[in-house]
Coordinates of all heavy atoms in Angstrom, one line a residue:
M1 N -10.3 28.4 -93.1 CA -10.3 29.4 -92.1 C -9.9 30.8 -92.7 O -9.0 30.8 -93.5 CB -9.3 29.0 -91.0 CG -9.4 29.9 -89.7 SD -8.0 29.7 -88.7 CE -8.2 27.9 -88.2
G2 N -10.6 31.8 -92.4 CA -10.3 33.1 -93.0 C -9.0 33.7 -92.3 O -8.5 33.2 -91.3
K3 N -8.6 34.8 -92.9 CA -7.4 35.5 -92.5 C -7.5 36.0 -91.0 O -6.6 35.8 -90.2 CB -7.1 36.6 -93.4 CG -5.7 37.1 -93.4 CD -5.5 38.0 -94.6 CE -4.0 38.3 -94.7 NZ -3.7 39.2 -95.9
I4 N -8.7 36.6 -90.8 CA -8.9 37.2 -89.4 C -8.8 36.1 -88.4 O -8.2 36.2 -87.3 CB -10.2 37.9 -89.4 CG1 -10.3 39.0 -90.4 CG2 -10.6 38.4 -88.0 CD1 -9.6 40.3 -90.0
E5 N -9.5 35.0 -88.6 CA -9.5 33.9 -87.7 C -8.1 33.3 -87.5 O -7.7 33.0 -86.3 CB -10.5 32.7 -88.1 CG -11.9 33.0 -87.9 CD -12.2 33.5 -86.5 OE1 -11.9 32.8 -85.5 OE2 -12.9 34.6 -86.4
R6 N -7.4 33.2 -88.6 CA -6.0 32.7 -88.5 C -5.1 33.6 -87.6 O -4.3 33.2 -86.8 CB -5.4 32.6 -89.9 CG -4.6 31.3 -90.1 CD -4.4 31.0 -91.5 NE -4.0 32.1 -92.3 CZ -4.4 32.4 -93.5 NH1 -5.3 31.6 -94.1 NH2 -4.0 33.4 -94.2
E7 N -5.3 34.9 -87.9 CA -4.5 35.9 -87.1 C -4.9 35.9 -85.6 O -4.0 36.1 -84.8 CB -4.6 37.3 -87.7 CG -3.9 37.4 -89.0 CD -3.5 38.8 -89.4 OE1 -3.5 39.7 -88.5 OE2 -3.2 39.0 -90.5
K8 N -6.1 35.6 -85.4 CA -6.6 35.5 -84.0 C -5.9 34.4 -83.3 O -5.4 34.5 -82.2 CB -8.1 35.4 -83.9 CG -8.8 36.7 -84.1 CD -10.3 36.4 -83.9 CE -11.1 37.7 -84.1 NZ -12.5 37.5 -84.0
K9 N -5.8 33.3 -84.0 CA -5.1 32.1 -83.4 C -3.6 32.4 -83.2 O -3.0 32.0 -82.2 CB -5.2 30.9 -84.4 CG -6.4 30.0 -84.1 CD -6.4 28.8 -85.0 CE -5.4 27.7 -84.7 NZ -5.6 26.6 -85.6
T10 N -3.0 33.0 -84.2 CA -1.5 33.3 -84.1 C -1.3 34.2 -82.9 O -0.3 34.0 -82.1 CB -1.0 33.9 -85.4 OG1 -1.4 33.1 -86.5 CG2 0.5 34.0 -85.3
I11 N -2.0 35.3 -82.8 CA -1.8 36.2 -81.7 C -2.0 35.5 -80.3 O -1.3 35.8 -79.4 CB -2.6 37.6 -81.8 CG1 -2.1 38.6 -80.8 CG2 -4.0 37.4 -81.8 CD1 -0.8 39.1 -80.9
K12 N -3.0 34.7 -80.3 CA -3.3 33.9 -79.0 C -2.0 33.1 -78.7 O -1.6 33.1 -77.5 CB -4.5 33.0 -79.2 CG -4.9 32.3 -78.0 CD -6.3 31.7 -78.1 CE -6.8 31.0 -76.9 NZ -6.3 29.6 -76.7
L13 N -1.5 32.4 -79.6 CA -0.3 31.6 -79.4 C 0.8 32.4 -78.9 O 1.5 32.1 -77.9 CB 0.1 30.9 -80.7 CG -0.3 29.5 -81.0 CD1 0.0 29.2 -82.4 CD2 0.4 28.5 -80.0
M14 N 1.0 33.6 -79.5 CA 2.1 34.4 -79.1 C 2.0 35.0 -77.7 O 2.9 35.0 -77.0 CB 2.2 35.6 -80.1 CG 2.7 35.2 -81.5 SD 3.4 36.6 -82.3 CE 3.7 36.0 -83.9
V15 N 0.7 35.4 -77.4 CA 0.5 35.9 -76.0 C 0.7 34.8 -75.0 O 1.3 35.0 -74.0 CB -0.9 36.5 -75.9 CG1 -1.2 37.0 -74.5 CG2 -1.0 37.8 -76.8
E16 N 0.3 33.6 -75.4 CA 0.5 32.5 -74.4 C 2.0 32.2 -74.2 O 2.4 31.9 -73.1 CB -0.2 31.2 -75.0 CG -1.7 31.3 -74.7 CD -2.5 30.1 -75.4 OE1 -1.9 29.3 -76.1 OE2 -3.7 30.2 -75.3
I17 N 2.7 32.2 -75.3 CA 4.2 31.9 -75.1 C 4.8 33.0 -74.2 O 5.6 32.7 -73.3 CB 4.9 31.9 -76.5 CG1 4.4 30.7 -77.3 CG2 6.4 31.8 -76.3 CD1 4.9 30.7 -78.8
Y18 N 4.4 34.2 -74.5 CA 5.0 35.4 -73.8 C 4.6 35.3 -72.3 O 5.5 35.4 -71.4 CB 4.4 36.7 -74.4 CG 4.9 37.9 -73.8 CD1 6.1 38.5 -74.2 CD2 4.3 38.5 -72.7 CE1 6.6 39.7 -73.7 CE2 4.7 39.7 -72.2 CZ 5.9 40.3 -72.7 OH 6.4 41.4 -72.1
C19 N 3.4 35.0 -72.0 CA 2.9 35.0 -70.6 C 3.5 33.8 -69.9 O 3.9 34.0 -68.7 CB 1.4 34.9 -70.6 SG 0.7 35.3 -69.0
K20 N 3.7 32.7 -70.5 CA 4.3 31.5 -69.9 C 5.7 31.9 -69.5 O 6.2 31.6 -68.4 CB 4.3 30.4 -70.9 CG 4.8 29.1 -70.3 CD 4.7 28.0 -71.3 CE 5.5 26.8 -70.8 NZ 5.6 25.7 -71.8
K21 N 6.5 32.5 -70.4 CA 7.9 32.7 -70.1 C 8.1 33.9 -69.3 O 9.0 33.9 -68.4 CB 8.7 33.0 -71.5 CG 8.7 31.8 -72.4 CD 9.7 30.7 -71.9 CE 9.6 29.5 -72.8 NZ 10.4 28.4 -72.2
K22 N 7.4 35.0 -69.5 CA 7.6 36.2 -68.8 C 6.9 36.3 -67.5 O 7.3 37.0 -66.5 CB 7.2 37.4 -69.7 CG 8.1 37.6 -70.9 CD 9.3 38.4 -70.6 CE 10.0 38.8 -71.9 NZ 11.1 39.7 -71.7
H23 N 5.7 35.8 -67.4 CA 4.9 35.9 -66.2 C 4.6 34.6 -65.5 O 3.7 34.5 -64.7 CB 3.5 36.6 -66.6 CG 3.7 37.9 -67.3 ND1 2.8 38.4 -68.2 CD2 4.6 38.8 -67.2 CE1 3.2 39.5 -68.7 NE2 4.3 39.9 -68.1
D24 N 5.4 33.6 -65.9 CA 5.4 32.3 -65.2 C 4.0 31.6 -65.1 O 3.7 31.0 -64.1 CB 5.8 32.6 -63.7 CG 7.1 31.7 -63.5 OD1 7.4 30.9 -64.3 OD2 7.6 31.9 -62.4
M25 N 3.2 31.8 -66.2 CA 1.9 31.2 -66.1 C 2.0 29.8 -66.8 O 2.9 29.5 -67.5 CB 0.9 32.0 -66.9 CG 0.6 33.4 -66.3 SD -0.1 33.4 -64.6 CE -1.8 32.9 -65.0
K26 N 1.0 28.9 -66.4 CA 1.0 27.6 -67.0 C 0.5 27.6 -68.4 O -0.1 28.5 -68.8 CB 0.0 26.7 -66.1 CG 0.5 26.4 -64.8 CD -0.4 25.3 -64.2 CE -0.5 25.5 -62.7 NZ -1.9 25.5 -62.2
N27 N 0.8 26.5 -69.1 CA 0.3 26.4 -70.5 C -1.1 26.7 -70.6 O -1.9 26.2 -69.9 CB 0.6 24.9 -71.0 CG 1.9 24.8 -71.7 OD1 2.5 25.8 -72.1 ND2 2.4 23.6 -71.8
G28 N -1.5 27.5 -71.6 CA -2.9 27.8 -71.8 C -3.5 28.7 -70.9 O -4.7 29.1 -71.0
E29 N -2.8 29.2 -69.9 CA -3.3 30.2 -68.9 C -2.7 31.5 -69.1 O -1.5 31.6 -69.5 CB -3.1 29.7 -67.5 CG -4.0 28.6 -67.1 CD -3.8 28.2 -65.6 OE1 -3.2 29.0 -64.8 OE2 -4.2 27.0 -65.3
L30 N -3.5 32.6 -68.9 CA -3.0 33.9 -69.1 C -3.2 34.7 -67.8 O -4.2 34.6 -67.1 CB -3.7 34.6 -70.2 CG -3.4 34.1 -71.7 CD1 -4.3 34.9 -72.7 CD2 -2.0 34.1 -72.0
C31 N -2.2 35.6 -67.5 CA -2.4 36.5 -66.4 C -3.4 37.6 -66.9 O -3.7 37.7 -68.1 CB -1.1 37.2 -66.0 SG -0.4 38.4 -67.2
E32 N -3.8 38.4 -65.9 CA -4.9 39.4 -66.2 C -4.4 40.4 -67.4 O -5.2 40.7 -68.3 CB -5.1 40.2 -65.0 CG -6.6 40.6 -64.8 CD -6.8 41.2 -63.5 OE1 -6.7 40.5 -62.4 OE2 -7.1 42.4 -63.4
E33 N -3.2 40.8 -67.3 CA -2.7 41.8 -68.2 C -2.7 41.2 -69.7 O -3.1 41.8 -70.6 CB -1.3 42.2 -67.8 CG -0.8 43.4 -68.6 CD 0.7 43.7 -68.3 OE1 1.2 43.2 -67.3 OE2 1.3 44.5 -69.1
C34 N -2.2 40.0 -69.8 CA -2.1 39.3 -71.1 C -3.5 39.0 -71.6 O -3.7 39.1 -72.8 CB -1.2 38.1 -71.0 SG 0.5 38.5 -70.7
Q35 N -4.3 38.6 -70.7 CA -5.7 38.3 -71.1 C -6.4 39.6 -71.7 O -7.0 39.5 -72.8 CB -6.5 37.8 -69.9 CG -8.0 37.4 -70.2 CD -8.1 36.2 -71.1 OE1 -7.3 35.3 -70.9 NE2 -9.0 36.2 -72.0
E36 N -6.1 40.7 -71.1 CA -6.7 41.9 -71.5 C -6.1 42.3 -72.9 O -6.8 42.7 -73.8 CB -6.3 43.0 -70.5 CG -7.1 44.3 -70.7 CD -6.5 45.5 -69.9 OE1 -5.7 45.2 -69.0 OE2 -6.7 46.6 -70.3
L37 N -4.8 42.1 -73.1 CA -4.1 42.4 -74.3 C -4.7 41.5 -75.5 O -5.0 42.0 -76.6 CB -2.6 42.2 -74.2 CG -1.8 42.3 -75.5 CD1 -1.9 43.8 -76.0 CD2 -0.4 41.9 -75.3
L38 N -4.9 40.2 -75.1 CA -5.4 39.3 -76.2 C -6.8 39.7 -76.6 O -7.1 39.7 -77.8 CB -5.3 37.9 -75.6 CG -5.9 36.8 -76.6 CD1 -5.0 36.8 -77.9 CD2 -5.9 35.4 -76.0
E39 N -7.6 40.0 -75.6 CA -9.0 40.4 -75.9 C -9.0 41.6 -76.7 O -9.8 41.8 -77.7 CB -9.8 40.6 -74.6 CG -10.3 39.2 -74.0 CD -10.9 39.4 -72.7 OE1 -11.3 40.5 -72.3 OE2 -11.0 38.3 -72.0
Y40 N -8.1 42.6 -76.4 CA -8.1 43.8 -77.2 C -7.6 43.5 -78.6 O -8.3 44.0 -79.5 CB -7.0 44.7 -76.5 CG -6.9 46.1 -77.2 CD1 -7.8 47.1 -76.9 CD2 -5.9 46.3 -78.1 CE1 -7.8 48.3 -77.6 CE2 -5.8 47.5 -78.8 CZ -6.7 48.5 -78.5 OH -6.7 49.7 -79.1
A41 N -6.6 42.7 -78.8 CA -6.1 42.4 -80.1 C -7.2 41.7 -81.0 O -7.4 42.0 -82.1 CB -4.9 41.5 -80.0
H42 N -7.9 40.8 -80.3 CA -9.0 40.0 -81.0 C -10.1 41.0 -81.4 O -10.7 40.9 -82.5 CB -9.6 38.9 -80.1 CG -8.8 37.7 -80.2 ND1 -9.1 36.5 -79.5 CD2 -7.6 37.4 -80.8 CE1 -8.2 35.6 -79.8 NE2 -7.3 36.1 -80.6
K43 N -10.4 42.0 -80.6 CA -11.4 42.9 -80.9 C -11.0 43.8 -82.1 O -11.8 44.1 -83.0 CB -11.7 43.8 -79.6 CG -13.1 44.3 -79.6 CD -13.4 45.2 -78.4 CE -14.0 44.4 -77.2 NZ -14.1 45.2 -76.0
R44 N -9.7 44.2 -82.1 CA -9.2 45.0 -83.2 C -9.4 44.2 -84.5 O -9.8 44.8 -85.5 CB -7.7 45.4 -83.0 CG -7.3 46.2 -81.9 CD -8.1 47.4 -81.4 NE -8.8 48.2 -82.4 CZ -9.9 48.8 -82.2 NH1 -10.5 48.8 -81.0 NH2 -10.5 49.5 -83.1
L45 N -9.1 43.0 -84.4 CA -9.2 42.1 -85.6 C -10.6 42.0 -86.1 O -10.9 42.0 -87.3 CB -8.5 40.7 -85.4 CG -7.0 40.7 -85.4 CD1 -6.5 39.4 -84.8 CD2 -6.4 40.9 -86.8
S46 N -11.5 41.8 -85.1 CA -12.9 41.6 -85.5 C -13.4 42.9 -86.2 O -14.3 42.8 -87.1 CB -13.8 41.4 -84.2 OG -13.4 40.2 -83.6
Y47 N -13.0 44.1 -85.7 CA -13.5 45.3 -86.3 C -12.6 45.9 -87.4 O -12.8 47.0 -87.8 CB -13.7 46.4 -85.2 CG -14.7 46.0 -84.2 CD1 -14.5 45.9 -82.8 CD2 -16.0 45.7 -84.6 CE1 -15.5 45.5 -81.9 CE2 -17.0 45.4 -83.7 CZ -16.7 45.3 -82.4 OH -17.7 44.9 -81.5
C48 N -11.5 45.2 -87.8 CA -10.6 45.7 -88.8 C -11.3 46.1 -90.0 O -12.1 45.4 -90.6 CB -9.6 44.6 -89.1 SG -8.4 45.1 -90.4
K49 N -11.1 47.4 -90.4 CA -11.9 47.9 -91.6 C -11.4 47.3 -92.9 O -12.1 47.4 -93.9 CB -11.8 49.4 -91.6 CG -10.4 50.0 -91.8 CD -10.4 51.5 -91.9 CE -10.9 51.9 -93.3 NZ -10.9 53.4 -93.5
F50 N -10.3 46.6 -92.9 CA -9.9 46.0 -94.1 C -10.4 44.6 -94.3 O -10.3 43.9 -95.3 CB -8.3 46.0 -94.2 CG -7.7 47.3 -94.1 CD1 -7.1 47.8 -93.0 CD2 -7.8 48.2 -95.2 CE1 -6.5 49.0 -92.9 CE2 -7.2 49.4 -95.2 CZ -6.6 49.9 -94.0
G51 N -10.9 44.1 -93.2 CA -11.5 42.7 -93.2 C -10.5 41.7 -93.7 O -9.4 41.7 -93.4
E52 N -11.0 40.8 -94.5 CA -10.2 39.7 -95.0 C -9.1 40.2 -96.0 O -8.2 39.4 -96.4 CB -11.1 38.6 -95.7 CG -12.0 37.9 -94.8 CD -11.2 37.0 -93.8 OE1 -10.2 36.4 -94.2 OE2 -11.7 37.0 -92.6
N53 N -9.2 41.4 -96.4 CA -8.1 42.0 -97.3 C -7.0 42.6 -96.5 O -6.1 43.3 -97.1 CB -8.7 43.0 -98.2 CG -9.7 42.3 -99.2 OD1 -9.4 41.2 -99.7 ND2 -10.8 43.0 -99.5
K54 N -7.0 42.5 -95.2 CA -6.0 43.2 -94.4 C -4.6 42.7 -94.7 O -4.4 41.5 -95.1 CB -6.3 43.1 -92.9 CG -5.9 41.7 -92.4 CD -6.4 41.6 -90.9 CE -5.6 42.3 -90.0 NZ -4.1 41.9 -90.0
S55 N -3.6 43.6 -94.5 CA -2.2 43.1 -94.5 C -1.8 42.9 -93.1 O -2.7 42.9 -92.2 CB -1.3 44.1 -95.2 OG -1.3 45.3 -94.4
T56 N -0.5 42.7 -92.8 CA -0.2 42.5 -91.4 C -0.4 43.8 -90.6 O -0.1 44.9 -91.1 CB 1.3 42.1 -91.2 OG1 2.1 42.9 -92.0 CG2 1.4 40.6 -91.6
C57 N -0.8 43.7 -89.4 CA -1.0 44.9 -88.5 C 0.3 45.8 -88.4 O 0.2 47.0 -88.4 CB -1.5 44.5 -87.1 SG -3.1 43.8 -87.2
S58 N 1.4 45.1 -88.4 CA 2.7 45.9 -88.2 C 2.9 46.8 -89.4 O 3.7 47.8 -89.3 CB 3.9 45.0 -88.0 OG 4.0 44.1 -89.0
R59 N 2.3 46.5 -90.5 CA 2.5 47.3 -91.7 C 1.3 48.2 -92.1 O 1.3 48.8 -93.1 CB 2.9 46.5 -92.9 CG 4.2 45.9 -92.8 CD 4.6 45.3 -94.2 NE 5.9 44.6 -94.1 CZ 6.3 43.8 -95.0 NH1 5.5 43.5 -96.0 NH2 7.5 43.2 -94.9
C60 N 0.4 48.1 -91.2 CA -0.9 48.8 -91.5 C -0.7 50.3 -91.4 O -0.1 50.9 -90.5 CB -1.9 48.4 -90.5 SG -3.5 49.2 -90.6
P61 N -1.2 51.1 -92.4 CA -1.1 52.5 -92.4 C -1.9 53.2 -91.3 O -1.6 54.3 -90.8 CB -1.6 53.0 -93.7 CG -2.4 51.8 -94.2 CD -1.9 50.6 -93.6
I62 N -3.0 52.6 -90.8 CA -3.8 53.2 -89.8 C -3.2 52.8 -88.4 O -3.1 53.6 -87.5 CB -5.2 52.6 -89.8 CG1 -5.8 52.9 -91.2 CG2 -6.1 53.3 -88.7 CD1 -7.2 52.3 -91.4
H63 N -3.0 51.6 -88.2 CA -2.7 50.9 -87.0 C -3.6 51.4 -85.9 O -3.4 52.4 -85.2 CB -1.2 51.1 -86.5 CG -0.7 49.9 -85.8 ND1 -1.3 49.5 -84.6 CD2 0.2 49.0 -86.1 CE1 -0.8 48.3 -84.2 NE2 0.2 48.0 -85.1
C64 N -4.7 50.6 -85.8 CA -5.8 51.1 -85.0 C -5.6 50.8 -83.5 O -6.5 51.1 -82.7 CB -7.1 50.3 -85.4 SG -7.0 48.5 -85.2
Y65 N -4.5 50.3 -83.1 CA -4.3 50.0 -81.6 C -4.0 51.4 -80.9 O -3.4 52.3 -81.4 CB -3.0 49.2 -81.4 CG -3.2 47.7 -81.7 CD1 -3.6 47.3 -83.0 CD2 -3.0 46.8 -80.7 CE1 -3.8 45.9 -83.2 CE2 -3.1 45.4 -81.0 CZ -3.5 45.0 -82.2 OH -3.7 43.7 -82.5
K66 N -4.5 51.4 -79.7 CA -4.1 52.6 -78.8 C -2.7 52.4 -78.4 O -2.2 51.3 -78.4 CB -5.1 52.8 -77.7 CG -5.2 51.7 -76.7 CD -6.2 52.0 -75.6 CE -6.3 50.9 -74.6 NZ -7.3 51.1 -73.6
K67 N -2.1 53.5 -78.0 CA -0.6 53.6 -77.8 C -0.1 52.5 -76.9 O 0.8 51.7 -77.3 CB -0.2 54.9 -77.4 CG 1.3 55.2 -77.6 CD 1.6 56.7 -77.4 CE 3.1 56.9 -77.5 NZ 3.7 56.7 -76.1
D68 N -0.6 52.4 -75.7 CA 0.0 51.4 -74.8 C -0.2 50.0 -75.3 O 0.7 49.1 -75.1 CB -0.6 51.6 -73.4 CG -2.1 51.4 -73.3 OD1 -2.8 51.8 -74.3 OD2 -2.6 51.0 -72.3
M69 N -1.3 49.7 -75.9 CA -1.6 48.3 -76.4 C -0.6 48.0 -77.6 O -0.2 46.9 -77.8 CB -3.0 48.1 -76.8 CG -4.0 48.1 -75.7 SD -3.6 46.7 -74.6 CE -5.0 46.7 -73.5
K70 N -0.4 49.0 -78.4 CA 0.5 48.9 -79.5 C 1.9 48.5 -79.0 O 2.6 47.6 -79.5 CB 0.6 50.2 -80.3 CG 1.2 50.1 -81.6 CD 1.0 51.5 -82.3 CE 1.9 51.6 -83.5 NZ 1.6 52.9 -84.2
E71 N 2.4 49.2 -78.0 CA 3.7 48.9 -77.4 C 3.7 47.4 -76.9 O 4.7 46.7 -77.1 CB 4.0 49.8 -76.2 CG 4.1 51.3 -76.6 CD 5.2 51.5 -77.5 OE1 6.3 51.0 -77.3 OE2 5.0 52.3 -78.5
K72 N 2.6 47.1 -76.2 CA 2.6 45.7 -75.6 C 2.6 44.7 -76.6 O 3.3 43.7 -76.5 CB 1.4 45.6 -74.7 CG 1.5 46.1 -73.3 CD 0.3 45.8 -72.5 CE 0.2 46.7 -71.3 NZ -1.0 46.5 -70.5
V73 N 1.8 44.9 -77.7 CA 1.7 43.8 -78.7 C 3.0 43.7 -79.5 O 3.4 42.6 -79.8 CB 0.4 44.0 -79.6 CG1 0.7 45.0 -80.8 CG2 -0.1 42.7 -80.1
K74 N 3.7 44.8 -79.6 CA 5.0 44.8 -80.3 C 6.0 44.0 -79.5 O 6.7 43.2 -80.1 CB 5.5 46.2 -80.4 CG 5.4 46.9 -81.7 CD 5.9 48.3 -81.6 CE 6.5 48.9 -82.8 NZ 6.8 50.3 -82.5
E75 N 6.0 44.2 -78.2 CA 6.9 43.5 -77.4 C 6.6 41.9 -77.4 O 7.5 41.1 -77.5 CB 6.7 44.0 -75.9 CG 7.9 43.6 -75.1 CD 7.7 44.0 -73.6 OE1 7.2 45.1 -73.4 OE2 8.1 43.2 -72.7
V76 N 5.3 41.6 -77.4 CA 4.9 40.2 -77.4 C 5.4 39.6 -78.7 O 6.0 38.5 -78.8 CB 3.4 40.0 -77.3 CG1 2.9 38.6 -77.6 CG2 3.0 40.4 -75.8
M77 N 5.2 40.3 -79.8 CA 5.6 39.7 -81.1 C 7.1 39.6 -81.3 O 7.6 38.6 -81.8 CB 5.1 40.7 -82.3 CG 3.6 40.6 -82.3 SD 3.0 41.1 -84.0 CE 1.3 40.5 -83.9
K78 N 7.8 40.6 -80.7 CA 9.2 40.5 -80.8 C 9.8 39.3 -80.0 O 10.7 38.6 -80.4 CB 9.8 41.8 -80.2 CG 11.2 42.1 -80.8 CD 11.6 43.5 -80.3 CE 12.9 43.5 -79.6 NZ 13.1 44.7 -78.8
F79 N 9.1 39.1 -78.9 CA 9.6 38.0 -78.0 C 9.1 36.6 -78.6 O 9.9 35.7 -78.7 CB 9.0 38.2 -76.6 CG 9.4 37.1 -75.6 CD1 10.6 37.1 -75.0 CD2 8.6 36.0 -75.4 CE1 11.0 36.1 -74.1 CE2 8.9 35.0 -74.5 CZ 10.2 35.1 -73.9
S80 N 7.8 36.5 -78.9 CA 7.3 35.2 -79.3 C 7.4 34.8 -80.7 O 7.4 33.6 -81.0 CB 5.8 35.2 -78.9 OG 5.6 35.4 -77.5
G81 N 7.6 35.8 -81.6 CA 7.7 35.5 -83.0 C 8.7 34.4 -83.3 O 8.4 33.4 -83.8
P82 N 10.0 34.7 -82.9 CA 11.0 33.6 -83.1 C 10.8 32.3 -82.4 O 11.2 31.3 -82.9 CB 12.3 34.3 -82.6 CG 12.0 35.7 -82.4 CD 10.5 35.8 -82.2
R83 N 10.0 32.4 -81.3 CA 9.8 31.2 -80.5 C 8.7 30.3 -81.1 O 8.5 29.2 -80.7 CB 9.5 31.6 -79.1 CG 10.7 32.0 -78.3 CD 10.4 32.6 -77.0 NE 11.6 32.9 -76.2 CZ 12.3 34.0 -76.4 NH1 12.0 34.9 -77.3 NH2 13.4 34.2 -75.7
L84 N 7.9 30.9 -82.0 CA 6.9 30.1 -82.6 C 7.4 28.8 -83.2 O 6.8 27.8 -83.3 CB 6.1 30.9 -83.6 CG 4.9 31.7 -83.2 CD1 4.3 32.4 -84.4 CD2 3.9 30.9 -82.5
V85 N 8.7 28.9 -83.7 CA 9.3 27.8 -84.4 C 9.4 26.6 -83.5 O 9.3 25.5 -83.9 CB 10.7 28.2 -85.0 CG1 11.7 28.3 -83.9 CG2 11.1 27.2 -86.0
I86 N 9.6 26.8 -82.2 CA 9.7 25.7 -81.2 C 8.3 25.2 -80.9 O 8.1 24.0 -80.8 CB 10.4 26.2 -79.9 CG1 11.7 26.9 -80.2 CG2 10.6 25.0 -79.0 CD1 12.2 27.7 -79.1
Y87 N 7.4 26.1 -80.7 CA 6.1 25.7 -80.2 C 5.1 25.3 -81.3 O 4.3 24.5 -81.1 CB 5.5 26.8 -79.3 CG 6.2 27.1 -78.1 CD1 7.2 28.0 -78.0 CD2 6.0 26.3 -76.9 CE1 8.0 28.2 -76.9 CE2 6.7 26.5 -75.8 CZ 7.7 27.5 -75.7 OH 8.4 27.7 -74.6
N88 N 5.3 26.0 -82.4 CA 4.3 25.7 -83.5 C 4.8 26.1 -84.8 O 4.5 27.2 -85.3 CB 3.0 26.5 -83.1 CG 1.8 25.9 -83.9 OD1 2.0 25.6 -85.1 ND2 0.7 25.9 -83.3
P89 N 5.7 25.3 -85.4 CA 6.3 25.6 -86.7 C 5.3 26.0 -87.8 O 5.6 26.9 -88.6 CB 7.1 24.3 -87.1 CG 6.9 23.4 -86.0 CD 6.0 23.9 -84.9
I90 N 4.2 25.3 -87.8 CA 3.2 25.6 -88.9 C 2.7 27.1 -88.8 O 2.7 27.8 -89.8 CB 1.9 24.7 -88.7 CG1 2.3 23.3 -88.7 CG2 1.0 25.0 -89.9 CD1 2.5 22.5 -90.0
E91 N 2.5 27.5 -87.6 CA 2.0 28.9 -87.4 C 3.1 29.9 -87.8 O 2.9 30.9 -88.3 CB 1.6 29.2 -85.9 CG 0.3 28.6 -85.5 CD -0.9 29.2 -86.4 OE1 -0.8 30.4 -86.8 OE2 -1.7 28.4 -86.8
L92 N 4.4 29.5 -87.5 CA 5.5 30.4 -87.9 C 5.6 30.5 -89.4 O 5.7 31.7 -89.9 CB 6.8 29.8 -87.4 CG 8.0 30.6 -87.8 CD1 8.1 31.9 -86.9 CD2 9.3 29.9 -87.9
I93 N 5.4 29.5 -90.1 CA 5.4 29.5 -91.6 C 4.3 30.4 -92.1 O 4.5 31.3 -92.9 CB 5.4 28.1 -92.2 CG1 6.6 27.3 -91.8 CG2 5.2 28.2 -93.7 CD1 6.5 25.9 -91.9
R94 N 3.1 30.2 -91.5 CA 2.0 31.1 -91.9 C 2.3 32.5 -91.6 O 2.0 33.4 -92.4 CB 0.7 30.7 -91.1 CG 0.2 29.4 -91.5 CD -1.4 29.4 -91.4 NE -1.9 28.2 -91.8 CZ -2.4 27.3 -91.0 NH1 -2.4 27.5 -89.7 NH2 -2.9 26.2 -91.4
H95 N 2.9 32.8 -90.5 CA 3.2 34.1 -90.0 C 4.2 34.7 -91.0 O 4.0 35.9 -91.4 CB 3.8 34.0 -88.6 CG 4.0 35.4 -88.0 ND1 3.0 36.2 -87.7 CD2 5.2 36.0 -87.7 CE1 3.6 37.3 -87.2 NE2 4.9 37.2 -87.2
A96 N 5.2 34.0 -91.4 CA 6.2 34.5 -92.3 C 5.6 34.7 -93.7 O 5.9 35.7 -94.3 CB 7.3 33.4 -92.4
L97 N 4.7 33.9 -94.1 CA 4.1 34.0 -95.4 C 3.2 35.2 -95.5 O 3.0 35.9 -96.5 CB 3.3 32.8 -95.8 CG 4.1 31.5 -96.2 CD1 3.2 30.4 -96.4 CD2 5.0 31.8 -97.4
N98 N 2.6 35.5 -94.4 CA 1.7 36.7 -94.3 C 2.4 38.0 -94.4 O 1.7 39.0 -94.6 CB 0.9 36.6 -93.0 CG -0.5 35.9 -93.2 OD1 -1.0 35.9 -94.3 ND2 -1.0 35.3 -92.2
K99 N 3.6 38.0 -94.1 CA 4.4 39.3 -94.1 C 4.6 39.9 -95.4 O 4.6 39.2 -96.4 CB 5.8 39.0 -93.4 CG 5.6 39.1 -91.9 CD 7.0 39.3 -91.3 CE 6.8 39.6 -89.8 NZ 7.9 39.3 -89.0
Ligands
SF4_1 S1 -3.8 47.6 -87.2 FE1 -4.7 47.8 -89.3 S2 -4.7 45.7 -90.1 FE2 -4.5 45.6 -87.9 S3 -6.6 45.3 -87.1 FE3 -6.1 47.5 -87.0 S4 -6.9 48.4 -88.9 FE4 -6.8 46.1 -89.2
ZN2 ZN1 1.0 37.5 -68.7

């Protein structure tokens, strides 16, 4: 699996954890706002100009996210990053290694 695909999976997991805890959604379901955020993040990754050579978005010099989405994704990562260890340790390790 390429880096972009892997990051898409990780962000999906993070948004799902966030939405479940914060917006009371069931496993695997997303509220409208989180669905929109996830689609946006996936789109950014698909069009990332660095492609497979990208570093993590949080360290990206461009940061192609628009302001409100950037805030939202930051909040999701802050909340769900540490929780990945409970829900998906493998993804957490990957996430840490990617940093
Ligand atoms: S923030 Fe940077 S690394 Fe992340 S998708 Fe946008 S251009 Fe690519
Ligand atoms: Zn939600």
